[in-house]
Amino acid sequence: MTTQEIAGLIDQTYSPQTWAGLAPLLTLAGGILLLLFVELFERLHPLRAPLFLASLIGTFLAHKYAGAVGPILGGSYIVDGATVAWGQLFLASTMLAWFFARQYYRTSLAFLGEHDILLLTAPLGMTVMAGAGDLVTFFVGLELLSIPLYCLAAFRRRRNDSVEAGLKYFILGAFGVALLLYGAALTYVGTGHLDLAGIAAGLEGPGRPLAFAGLALIAGSLFFKLSIFPFHLWVPDVYQGSPTPITVLMATGTKAAALAFLMRFAAVLPGSSANLIALLAVLTMAAGNLGALVQKDLKRMLAYSGIAHAGTVLLAVAGTVAAPALAGDAIQAVLFYMAAYIFTAGGAFGILAWLEADGDLFTRIDSLRGLARRRPWLAATLSLFLLSLGGIPATGGFLGKWLVFSVSTRADLITMTILGVLLSVVALGYYLRVIVAMYMEPEPAELAPPMTERAWATFGTSLCAWMVLILGVLPGWFLGRVF
Amino acid sequence: MSVPTEYLLGLAAILFGIGIAGFLTRRNLIVVLMSIELMLNAANLSLVAGARMHSTQRLLDGAGPDLQGPVLAIFVIAVAAVEAAVGLALIIALYRRKQTVSLESVSELRD
């Protein structure tokens, strides 16, 4: 290569297009650095909250105005419509977690500034994951997301359950990453490529068996993050032990990020694996729903319900693997499903964070009895979220399910779709149980309901409630803005 | 005269197997962490062995060496250090609370 050729290559790599594609990531990274700087001086601490929100809003605008510029940096980062849409959803999920964290921790708790910095690192990692065009980029994104979350899960380090949640999440997360890397290495040995396009082309070569073993390991590690059967057992413990605002982020953002890459990765998977993926989806739904039925703690119940939802959305992935022609519809369905899920589950966990800040007892379903009389709005909002999780029409959850099932039906996965629909009906059983407890049962005599007002949490839950209704009633508004 | 790629891949597979076995059977968190490191290094060994294999072919074709594998291996080494730091911090947090680093002490959360 001559000097001129190299100079040309450099110009091409660092073109305005590249900077536009990287703008959201750079904005977030800039925000993180500024927050770190602010942390140095006590006098600047009042700037924490405005800076955090400014970084989120700036990144949102960067996503919106830089737009989809296509593959950049030699194809290792792909900024298409899906990346931009995912990026904005991740910001929403982070913002919700931040709102609910405002009055959740005791103000005397050390390192609250660091908490926000770690929280802001998560969407950076998630966006890198969603746009990753090769396994190296994906790996960096995954770790950028996971490592802050390990710390955040164990943030209340004076409490046994928080430390335990952090450790469990770390050990299983690190194991998942090791599977991913060994899978990537085998795929690389087999095909000579780590970029998804190259892997797809290299699968025809002589290294096919090795590459397939590698792809299976990578899929396994993605299923781990997504809490798919049989890799779902860690979820309830980690969700329950972590501080609830962090659970909001783990339940919504992390899951969406793994799913975002899985949708890209699905293009590499052979069509013959669709039935296996659909089977895993149904088993996941069964495991999640049956687990949720017997729970007495709402936080744990929602964790199991999150497993069931991961199973549902995996049906759309199976659909796109079975019929690659449906890829466009599938990504639309998955994006809509996760958008609805982020606001629904985000809101539900948010209300839990609100209640839990008054005492651990308040997340038990028993202590929610009769809540409707004392806190009518709180009970109504929680009911809305639960109905949306159950997939009742006029909520975002219903349309998400409808889109996912329509993709899997058109991909000829009829049996699994029918099983999926039936399992969704089972799910209504435990959602309704909570609503019945709130509206029809007498208040527990020994426990006064929490009456503390929390402005940030109120704002966060109302935002979620509005979004759930808007997504349910005016889905075209969301889909039109995304595509 | 160099070691055949198959041998290197075989060694990596054995390392990975030892890592998984250690991860599944050992109860000491430090040993579990070491098992994970072993698995990461199995991946690294496979990556550089694969890079050598693919580079040989590419150099014969007149192209430059294949760098994708080694680049990922370098990232893995860097991130493994970060992971170990966070993991040890968590283990210390556990030790402060319970004066033990055994996995059995991490079982309060259950149905």
Side-chain angles (χ1 to χ4, degrees):
Chain A
M1 227 190 273
T2 66
T3 325
Q4 269 161 351
E5 275 174 333
I6 292 174
L9 205 63
I10 290 175
D11 279 349
Q12 197 191 338
T13 308
Y14 295 103
S15 62
Q17 212 186 6
T18 311
W19 293 115
L22 291 178
L25 302 179
L26 293 173
T27 317
L28 263 182
I32 294 165
L33 290 177
L34 273 176
L35 276 170
L36 272 170
F37 181 76
V38 161
E39 221 32 57
L40 289 175
F41 305 100
E42 193 112 16
R43 257 187 311 158
L44 294 179
H45 282 188
L47 286 178
R48 281 170 178 171
L51 255 179
F52 189 94
L53 284 175
S55 317
L56 285 186
I57 293 168
T59 313
F60 184 80
L61 294 175
H63 272 302
K64 197 161 154 39
Y65 290 106
V69 295
I72 56 172
L73 297 176
S76 60
Y77 187 65
I78 303 168
V79 192
D80 53 10
T83 311
V84 175
W86 284 119
Q88 296 176 357
L89 287 181
F90 300 149
L91 293 177
S93 156
T94 313
M95 192 179 62
L96 290 177
W98 187 78
F99 280 156
F100 298 133
R102 277 318 77 199
Q103 285 140 321
Y104 180 78
Y105 302 104
R106 253 177 253 117
T107 41
S108 57
L109 198 60
F111 306 119
L112 276 180
E114 282 81 353
H115 178 277
D116 289 357
I117 294 167
L118 290 170
L119 196 59
L120 201 55
T121 318
L124 184 62
M126 291 177 194
T127 316
V128 172
M129 280 165 80
D134 64 29
L135 295 171
V136 185
T137 315
F138 172 67
F139 167 66
V140 173
L142 179 67
E143 289 297 54
L144 209 49
L145 162 67
S146 303
I147 291 175
L149 273 183
Y150 301 146
C151 304
L152 287 172
F155 193 72
R156 290 184 298 178
R157 65 205 158 90
R158 307 250 178 257
R159 290 180 51 140
N160 285 350
D161 54 354
S162 187
V163 170
E164 177 174 340
L167 257 179
K168 275 189 177 160
Y169 195 39
F170 168 75
I171 291 172
L172 293 170
F175 182 71
V177 166
L179 287 187
L180 166 80
L181 287 171
Y182 194 62
L186 289 185
T187 314
Y188 174 69
V189 172
T191 64
H193 286 278
L194 282 169
D195 54 303
L196 293 180
I199 291 172
L203 279 180
E204 306 308 319
R208 199 175 154 86
L210 210 52
F212 275 153
L215 291 182
L217 280 174
I218 298 172
S221 81
L222 282 172
F223 288 171
F224 222 104
K225 270 273 173 276
L226 204 53
S227 68
I228 298 298
F229 180 89
F231 307 118
H232 66 285
L233 291 168
W234 58 275
V235 173
D237 290 354
V238 172
Y239 282 18
Q240 192 190 5
S242 304
T244 312
I246 303 309
T247 311
V248 170
L249 189 69
M250 282 198 267
T252 59
T254 312
K255 208 172 268 182
L259 200 58
F261 184 72
L262 187 59
M263 291 304 286
R264 278 190 208 289
F265 186 68
V268 181
L269 292 173
S272 51
S273 60
N275 280 320
L276 178 64
I277 297 178
L279 180 68
L280 284 179
V282 171
L283 286 174
T284 310
M285 291 172 80
N289 285 333
L290 296 180
L293 275 175
V294 298
Q295 295 307 317
K296 295 196 172 61
D297 186 287
L298 190 55
K299 201 172 172 186
R300 221 173 153 83
M301 192 196 95
L302 284 177
Y304 274 105
S305 125
I307 298 173
H309 280 271
T312 313
V313 76
L314 191 67
L315 267 183
V317 179
T320 170
V321 172
L326 289 174
D329 290 346
I331 183 82
Q332 201 167 353
V334 170
L335 264 170
F336 189 90
Y337 193 99
M338 286 318 287
Y341 186 72
I342 283 175
F343 289 109
T344 314
F349 275 117
I351 289 185
L352 278 180
W354 182 348
L355 296 172
E356 202 192 36
D358 284 320
D360 286 349
L361 272 178
F362 288 109
T363 61
R364 297 180 60 82
I365 296 172
D366 281 348
S367 41
L368 291 176
R369 280 178 299 168
L371 191 71
R373 245 151 287 149
R374 298 287 278 276
R375 309 288 310 254
W377 281 106
L378 190 65
T381 328
L382 184 55
S383 308
L384 172 69
F385 295 141
L386 291 172
L387 290 176
S388 174
L389 285 173
I392 298 291
T395 58
F398 168 74
L399 273 159
K401 278 210 170 70
W402 189 78
L403 286 169
V404 165
F405 287 138
S406 106
V407 167
S408 61
T409 314
R410 276 180 288 161
D412 266 340
L413 299 164
I414 307 287
T415 324
M416 295 303 173
T417 310
I418 292 172
L419 284 173
V421 173
L422 289 177
L423 282 167
S424 304
V425 179
V426 174
L428 270 179
Y430 55 85
Y431 295 128
L432 288 178
R433 189 162 56 109
V434 180
I435 298 178
V436 167
M438 284 194 300
Y439 279 90
M440 299 183 184
E441 287 174 23
E443 289 175 47
E446 68 284 4
L447 200 66
M451 295 301 285
T452 326
E453 290 297 339
R454 295 200 160 76
W456 285 104
T458 312
F459 181 69
T461 37
S462 344
L463 186 74
C464 290
W466 279 111
M467 285 307 290
V468 169
L469 286 175
I470 290 173
L471 286 173
V473 181
L474 302 167
W477 175 79
F478 174 78
L479 291 172
R481 285 175 67 85
V482 169
F483 293 100
Chain B
M1 193 55 202
S2 60
V3 185
T5 306
E6 288 76 19
Y7 288 19
L8 292 174
L9 292 179
L11 175 63
I14 292 170
L15 280 179
F16 192 73
I18 296 175
I20 287 206
F23 179 84
L24 294 177
T25 57
R26 300 306 293 268
R27 287 284 153 262
N28 186 316
L29 279 166
I30 306 275
V31 180
V32 170
L33 204 59
M34 285 159 62
S35 306
I36 292 171
E37 297 287 321
L38 211 52
M39 292 164 70
L40 293 180
N41 283 315
N44 277 347
L45 187 57
S46 309
L47 280 169
V48 286
R52 194 187 64 174
M53 182 176 83
H54 294 306
S55 294
T56 318
Q57 190 55 48
R58 282 169 60 101
L59 289 171
L60 288 177
D61 296 344
D66 191 10
L67 290 177
Q68 285 194 30
V71 164
L72 180 54
I74 288 171
F75 271 109
V76 174
I77 293 169
V79 171
V82 179
E83 254 189 14
V86 170
L88 288 172
L90 287 170
I91 294 175
I92 290 173
L94 177 78
Y95 184 79
R96 283 205 177 137
R97 297 214 55 77
K98 301 202 172 162
Q99 276 72 48
T100 167
V101 290
S102 158
L103 254 184
E104 268 105 37
S105 66
V106 200
S107 56
E108 280 180 23
L109 298 169
R110 51 176 69 241
D111 281 328

